[in-house]
Amino acid sequence: MVVSTLTTTTFSSCFPFPKCIPAHLKSSGGHPRTLCCSRSERRGGAQMVKSSDGELPAKNSEIWQLFKEARQNILYLDKQRALAIEELNKAISEKNSLLEKIEELELEKQAMDRKDQASICWQLLLRIDSMVLTGMINSEEVSKMRRLVMDHKVSIVDAFTDILQKKDAEVLAELRQFSYRSKKNGFHIVHICTEMAPIASFGAVASFVTGLSQALQRKGHLVEVILPKYGSMNLNEVQGLREIEVEYYSYFNGQLHGNKIWTGVVRGIGVTFIQPLYYSSFFNREKAHGYSDDFERFMYFSRASLDYIVKSGKKPDVLHIHNWQTALIGPLFWDIFVQQGLEGSRILFSCHDIHAQSLVQPEKLALCGLDPARLHRPDRLQDSSNTHLANPMKGGIVYSNKVVIMSSTHSKGRIIHSSSHGLETTLNMHKEKLLVAPCGFDSSAWDPEKDKILPENYSADDMKGKAVCKIALQKKMGLAENSSFITVGCFLSDLSDLSDVDTENLRAIVQNATKMGVQFIFMMTGEVTSRHKGLESLQVKIEDANVRFINRHDETLSHLIFGGSDIILCHSLHDPILQVPLKALRYGSAPIAITTNNDNGFRHFPDHDNETTKLAMFINSTFGYLSFRQALDEINNNPSEWNHKVFDAMTKDFSWDAECCDIHISAYTAIKSL
């Protein structure tokens, strides 16, 4: 018998024997006698002892056996505990060693980055020397170019990273163009917003602000960002974060209130963080938004941002504001701040989600110093449907010099007449200052030619590596390995966005396609809370050997899914948060939109409006009009046409540096001439 759970304490309480048994308690056979523990037993005297002598040896022998087994178990548990402690110490040691190694690698990387910057500058200087020797430039121009390189090291490094692959004539042309842009000094743009990737990512604004700002700086413009200092913010991504030892005041609710200012650099962009003191609870919360006082919180931030700009003496060319959260900067600027040294500044309003509007009691506008009676009018902030309420987003449209609506698929006309969500009259009235711009994506992180995560790189001119990626993906997911099989990837960010009809439609399409040998890989992205249940429900409905589900986001695997898939199913071809369709185009994986229609397919109808972005025209004329079934038919029956579309898509540039950046530069240029 093994008493595996017996401990020293329980044993001693059940069997209270002394370690050394006195001689007068031993029987003639050498075994210990049991102690009399009751008065009645003692009154039994010798007769009781005599009648029990025959039973004691057997009982005591069993007890001692239990004792020995219990002691063995205790020793075994002590040994196991010692081994566990040893393993734990070993794991802690390995973890510390790994952390030290990571720190060493990070220091090496930082040193390498500094070395690369110096290396590129020196490569340029040496190439300039060679241009002088070959007579391409004269001594006067070479002196200016050397000074240009030394005065603009950071921008030079971004613009000439691939200098070794270029000929002297190409380098000279780019240097002259860079010199021209430097003389212009570019625009000084200040984004006033409530989110920015990767430190405060909550929606479409976050990746837009970071992506566009980096693109603008690569083209010679000065860009900075003003953000609230959230308590939940990821400050590990901020370089050189420091508090400015000067308290400044901003107006709110009839009084001036103190604020702390913090500064730092995020992805090469200067960022200012505003931290309220009296209203410290405004941004020191678990979440960044989703509270009943969101209007008051972001109105405070909007006013504080303008007070800070005036206090700091900044004179930006453009104040770039976003969504309803900072839309009130428009009326604040023109009614209060334009005469405080900002006469040369102009307002550009970006609308990332026209559906998300905040309606408030007009009296609340007075909290930040605005005049409700002056603004609550049909041609200003009064909401068109709920006339007793004020609409901050409407104010952003009315009081901005230019309005950019972000859409990768819709034209200006369609947005005004079909997707304005109650703002049709306002948009139509201000359509001359309305622009449409597509989203972009980070082409430095998402490029199959340079993607280090892929098992083999590939390009539009050499697609061999894509077949290798497909085999690697199939192997990783436990699917049949054959590069001729059609493989489909799908990223699900929020199943609640899919209607029940769409979900059922998706199930039917997957089941029909798997009968033809098509393979599917579904990956969940972002937070997985209630949405996780939706994915599990879909997974139950679609059980097939050719289907795989990943219930969490895996950045490394997502690169392989793009690289190894022929088709990427997208909830929408306008995806400002994950940019899935744009990444799919770059990786040669056709984006097909998930929408409800009668033929159990995915369909996105083209928009023929003249005022449509290049991205919208391209994607709608290639993959946007195809249902999923039509896409499969074209792959199988007209592969040359399909491959031509894929090739064409891969050669297009839809990154932040391309059309999105160009449209915004045109907008900045237009409003500065007003």
Side-chain angles (χ1 to χ4, degrees), residues 98 311-312 345 351 407 559 610:
L98 182 60
K311 175 72 174 178
S312 62
S345 300
C351 183
S407 176
H559 282 252
N610 290 329

Side-chain angles (χ1 to χ4, degrees), residues 113-153:
D113 289 343
R114 291 191 294 270
K115 182 179 179 181
D116 287 345
Q117 186 182 79
S119 174
I120 291 172
C121 289
W122 270 108
Q123 287 174 38
L124 265 177
L125 291 171
L126 293 173
R127 291 288 284 274
I128 291 171
D129 290 344
S130 70
M131 294 174 197
V132 177
L133 296 175
T134 56
M136 291 181 67
I137 53 177
N138 58 39
S139 58
E140 181 180 353
E141 187 176 11
V142 74
S143 177
K144 293 180 180 178
M145 286 195 172
R146 283 173 177 152
R147 175 52 54 191
L148 178 73
V149 173
M150 299 308 296
D151 289 346
H152 299 84
K153 288 181 180 179

